[in-house]
Every structure is written in C-alpha cells, then in structure tokens.
C-alpha cells in the first residue's frame, strides 16, 4: 500500500540511502549530498548559499502555513467558486453533508459587508450565529467569523453608520461567549480557552471604541433636512423602518420632535412590521381615547419579530440545490435559472443546515 501522508522526504528533492539512513542530495549535477550542516559548512560558499536558501525557503513555507491557521490570520478563507452545493445526504458520487461552517467559508462574506445592499443581511446572519450556532462552526469558520466581525467594526468606525446595530451584535456575541466559556469541560468551543478569552477582550475593546465615537457635523452649509417642506420631511421619515431611528431623529430639533410624534407615521410603521391580528391583540388607547400607535409599536416589538427586508440576499436554486449570492453565476442545468431561485432570509439560511 503506498504511503499517502506527507513524508519527511519532501517531493521535488533527491535522496540517497546510506548506512546512516536517507540523506538529501544538495545538487544533482554535482552528485553530492548533505550529511549534516556542520560538515557541509566546510564546503565552498556557493553550496553554502544554496543550502541556506533551501532552509530559508522551508522555514518561510512552514511559517506561511502556520500563519494561515493562526488565530491572528486576517484573510477570510473561502473557495475560489463563490457558491456552494447544499446536499443533505451521502450518495455514491458525493459523500458527507454540507455544514454551516463549510457554507460560511465558501461564501464571500468579506466582500459582502462592503456592499450596502448586503451589509444588514450579513450582520443579521452574524447575530443569529452568535445566538445559537457558534458551536456549529468549524475552527477555521470561527476564525473567519471573528475576522469578518472585525472588518464590520472597522467599517462602522470609519463610516460612523449602523452604530447601534453593531453594538447589539457585539453584546449578543459577548453574552453567548460568556455562557459557552463557563462550559469549558464539555468541549463546546473549538480551540484553546485562552484564545477565546482574548477574543472576548477584543469584543470589549470594540464596544469601547463604538461608545467613544464622536459624530462630526459636516461642514456643508447648504439646504438641510429641516429646510425641506413638511410633506417631504414626513415622506423621508416614512422610509425609516426602525422606530428608534424616528425617536433619535425627533431629538435633533424641536420641529422634528413634533413630526416624529405623528400618529399616521407610527401607524404605517406598525402595519409594515406586524399583521392585523397581532395589532388587534396589543391595542393601547391614549388619554384622548385614540389608539396610541407609538406605544403599540414598542409593545409589539417586544412580543413579535419585526418584518425583515434586505436589498440583496442569498438565494437557493431549487433545481440544482446551489446556494449563492443573487447575481452570482453558477452551473445551473435548468432551462431558465432565474425562475428556480428562491431568496433566503438569514433565519432560512440557518435552518437550511439543520438536518
């Protein structure tokens, strides 16, 4: 049976068997070989340089391989093809299962966070993984997770946008890690416990950086938001899908405070996120006997999940079972590939790997 593992006689080198064992040839043309470094150092400078270059090359190759697997690796590992075949069973042609960690490695999330249409989708996916699926990731997938999270934090620090969204993500991840670290003896985390403690310290550092952000007022002195007609201001406010953004906007100026309390604005927000049946179960009347849509909204978000909407999502081809980002070409054998693709929410993506 041939030896399939990595032999100490590396491929591409010449070896000769001597009384002392196998010895590596230094130069095939000269016919000489290396007995030991000390004896070889007595030879000419040309051979010395060849030996040291060979040794330096081996050391550099090992270092690159070690750095790739090291926790400090900053490059996400993913396959050259930015799609993945999702299979749920073993066949004669394909063995094993497709795991969440494999999908996380193969799909290009590092580039996705740079796209404003995909940013919220990736952040929501990171949050769901932090809540319950962190232990489902392989070791390299967990490293990729932390590296992508660091890139997300750096992007928010530079752009000064989506600060609250990332704060909630970091808090969720930190809470989950606190629970998992306490269960060290049950092998719930891949890697050394000190590595995870270091990662938790990094999360605390990122939280501190986000808390210290000072949003600078732009130097633009042209038309501002408050200079627009009231109908346009309300129209823009109706585009906000989070009630907390409306509250924050109302704290900017007294005029905006009045607009942010508009009942029709909060009514549309409730109807956008929740069904009529859910709204009827949580009716709240004001002192004037009218429905208090603002209080109803914050009560509803505590009881029901809000509607999620993203500019771009991952999609699954029902014909060939290939998962990819929308617009990514994959080897689909269907006559009309566009009609057999289904968009997946972040929760659907997680459920896809719960076999």
């Amino acid at each position: 049976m041939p030896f399939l593992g990595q032999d100490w006689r590396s491929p591409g080198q010449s070896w000769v068997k001597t009384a002392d064992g196998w010895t590596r040839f230094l130069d095939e043309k000269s016919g000489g070989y290396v007995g030991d470094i000390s004896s070889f150092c007595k030879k000419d400078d040309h051979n010395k340089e060849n030996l040291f270059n060979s040794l330096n090359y081996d050391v550099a190759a090992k270092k690159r391989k070690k750095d790739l697997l090291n926790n400090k690796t900053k490059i996400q590992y993913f396959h050259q093809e930015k799609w993945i075949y999702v299979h749920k069973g073993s066949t004669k042609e394909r063995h094993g299962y497709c795991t969440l960690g494999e999908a996380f490695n193969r799909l290009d999330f590092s580039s996705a966070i740079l796209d404003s249409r995909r940013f919220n989708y990736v952040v929501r996916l990171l949050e769901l993984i932090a809540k319950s699926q962190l232990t489902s990731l392989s070791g390299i997938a967990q490293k990729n997770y932390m590296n992508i999270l660091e890139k997300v934090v750096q992007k928010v620090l530079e752009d000064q946008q989506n600060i609250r969204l990332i704060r909630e993500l970091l808090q969720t991840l930190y809470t989950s890690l606190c629970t998992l670290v306490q269960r060290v003896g049950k092998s719930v985390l891949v890697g050394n416990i000190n590595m995870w403690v270091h990662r938790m310290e990094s999360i605390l550092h990122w939280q501190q950086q986000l808390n210290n952000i000072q949003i600078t007022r732009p130097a633009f002195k042209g038309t501002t938001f408050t200079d627009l007609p009231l109908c346009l201001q309300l129209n823009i406010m109706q585009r906000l899908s989070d009630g907390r953004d409306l509250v924050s906007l109302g704290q900017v100026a007294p005029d905006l405070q009045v607009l942010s309390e508009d009942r029709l604005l909060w009514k549309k927000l409730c109807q956008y996120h929740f069904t009529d049946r859910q709204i009827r179960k949580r009716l709240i009347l004001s002192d004037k006997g009218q429905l208090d849509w603002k209080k109803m909204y914050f009560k509803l978000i505590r009881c029901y999940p809000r509607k999620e909407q993203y500019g771009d999502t991952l999609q699954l081809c029902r014909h060939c079972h290939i998962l990819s980002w929308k617009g990514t070409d994959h080897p689909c054998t269907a006559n009309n590939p566009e009609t057999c693709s289904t968009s997946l929410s972040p929760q659907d993506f997680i459920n896809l790997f719960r076999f």
Side-chain angles (χ1 to χ4, degrees):
M1 178 178 178
F3 180 71
L4 301 179
Q6 182 179 4
D7 196 356
W8 56 277
R9 298 185 297 274
S10 302
Q13 297 174 346
S14 299
W15 296 79
V16 64
K17 188 174 183 179
T18 65
D20 297 330
W22 287 93
T23 308
R24 182 177 60 181
F25 266 106
L26 178 66
D27 189 357
E28 295 182 358
K29 295 182 179 180
S30 63
Y33 60 86
V34 181
D36 54 64
I37 297 179
S38 59
S39 62
F40 178 77
C41 289
K42 299 178 181 179
K43 297 185 179 182
D44 55 35
D45 295 337
H46 176 70
N47 288 340
K48 285 183 182 180
E49 184 178 358
N50 289 340
L51 172 64
F52 290 133
N53 288 340
S54 177
L55 292 176
N56 291 335
Y57 176 81
D58 294 340
V59 172
K62 291 180 180 179
K63 187 176 184 302
R64 285 195 300 269
K65 183 177 180 181
K66 182 178 179 181
D67 289 342
L68 181 62
L69 300 177
N70 196 302
N71 181 45
K72 297 181 180 180
T73 301
K74 301 302 181 183
I75 301 176
Q76 182 199 5
Y77 168 80
F78 59 89
H79 196 266
Q80 183 178 2
E81 297 169 343
K82 300 178 182 180
W83 51 266
I84 183 171
Y85 175 78
V86 181
H87 50 102
K88 298 184 179 182
S90 298
T91 63
K92 294 182 179 180
E93 296 79 11
R94 190 181 294 270
H95 297 277
Y97 295 87
C98 176
T99 63
L100 178 62
E102 184 181 359
F104 196 82
N105 289 335
R106 294 277 294 273
L107 299 172
D108 190 8
F109 290 104
S110 293
S111 300
I113 61 176
L114 303 178
D115 191 336
S116 58
R117 299 171 302 170
R118 300 176 179 177
F119 182 83
N120 290 345
Y121 186 93
V122 175
V123 171
R124 177 58 177 165
L125 183 59
L126 295 177
E127 182 180 5
L128 292 176
I129 293 177
K131 286 182 177 179
S132 60
Q133 300 298 319
L134 193 60
T135 55
S136 301
L137 300 179
S138 61
I140 188 65
Q142 290 177 358
K143 294 175 186 178
N144 286 342
Y145 181 95
M146 297 302 299
N147 292 337
I148 293 173
L149 181 61
E150 182 177 1
K151 292 181 181 179
V152 169
V153 174
Q154 295 301 324
K155 183 178 185 301
V156 172
L157 291 175
E158 294 175 1
D159 300 343
Q160 296 185 345
Q161 299 178 4
N162 301 302
I163 299 176
R164 183 178 63 245
L165 189 66
I166 307 306
R167 282 177 181 170
E168 295 175 353
L169 169 60
L170 294 178
Q171 184 59 40
T172 300
L173 178 59
Y174 187 81
T175 303
S176 298
L177 288 180
C178 288
T179 304
L180 294 174
V181 167
Q182 295 173 359
R183 300 164 55 190
V184 177
K186 299 182 180 180
S187 301
V188 295
L189 287 173
V190 179
N192 188 281
I193 184 62
N194 295 327
M195 176 183 66
W196 284 103
V197 172
H198 174 71
R199 290 174 176 173
M200 294 175 67
E201 293 175 351
S202 299
I203 294 174
L204 292 176
H205 177 65
W206 294 338
Q207 289 178 323
Q208 186 65 31
Q209 286 182 308
L210 293 176
N211 292 333
N212 293 336
I213 288 182
Q214 298 292 335
I215 300 179
T216 57
R217 184 181 295 273
F220 179 71
K221 298 182 179 179
T223 303
T224 62
F225 180 76
T226 54
D227 296 331
L228 298 175
L230 294 180
C231 59
L232 290 180
Q233 295 182 26
L234 283 174
N235 195 353
I236 295 174
M237 288 183 175
Q238 291 175 2
R239 302 296 189 272
L240 300 178
S241 60
D242 195 332
R244 293 171 295 181
D245 293 333
L246 283 177
V247 175
S248 300
L249 183 59
Q251 296 173 353
V252 175
D255 295 339
L256 295 178
Q257 173 67 28
V258 176
L259 289 179
S260 64
E261 298 293 334
D262 184 74
R263 292 181 64 252
L264 182 60
L265 192 65
W266 289 98
K267 179 181 178 179
K268 290 184 177 180
L269 194 61
C270 290
Q271 293 175 342
Y272 174 77
H273 286 289
F274 308 104
T275 63
D276 293 338
R277 183 178 180 182
Q278 293 172 340
I279 293 175
R280 287 195 298 267
K281 289 184 177 181
R282 307 294 173 180
L283 296 178
I284 298 178
L285 297 179
S286 63
D287 297 336
K288 299 180 180 180
Q290 298 176 338
L291 292 176
D292 195 332
W293 291 101
K294 182 178 179 180
K295 291 183 178 179
M296 288 171 55
Y297 170 80
F298 288 106
K299 186 174 182 179
L300 286 167
I301 62 175
R302 292 193 297 266
C303 301
Y304 308 105
R306 289 179 297 177
K307 178 181 177 181
E308 298 179 358
Q309 186 174 7
Y310 305 98
D312 197 359
T313 62
L314 288 171
Q315 61 180 9
L316 179 66
C317 181
R318 299 188 302 270
H319 182 78
C320 54
H321 302 285
I322 286 181
L323 181 66
S324 63
W325 286 103
K326 186 180 298 183
T328 303
D329 295 331
H330 66 274
C332 185
T333 57
N335 295 329
N336 191 358
E338 297 180 356
T339 60
C340 59
S341 298
T342 303
S343 297
L344 298 179
S345 67
Q347 187 61 57
D348 293 335
F349 175 83
I350 298 295
N351 295 336
L352 188 63
F353 300 95
R354 292 177 177 174
F355 304 143

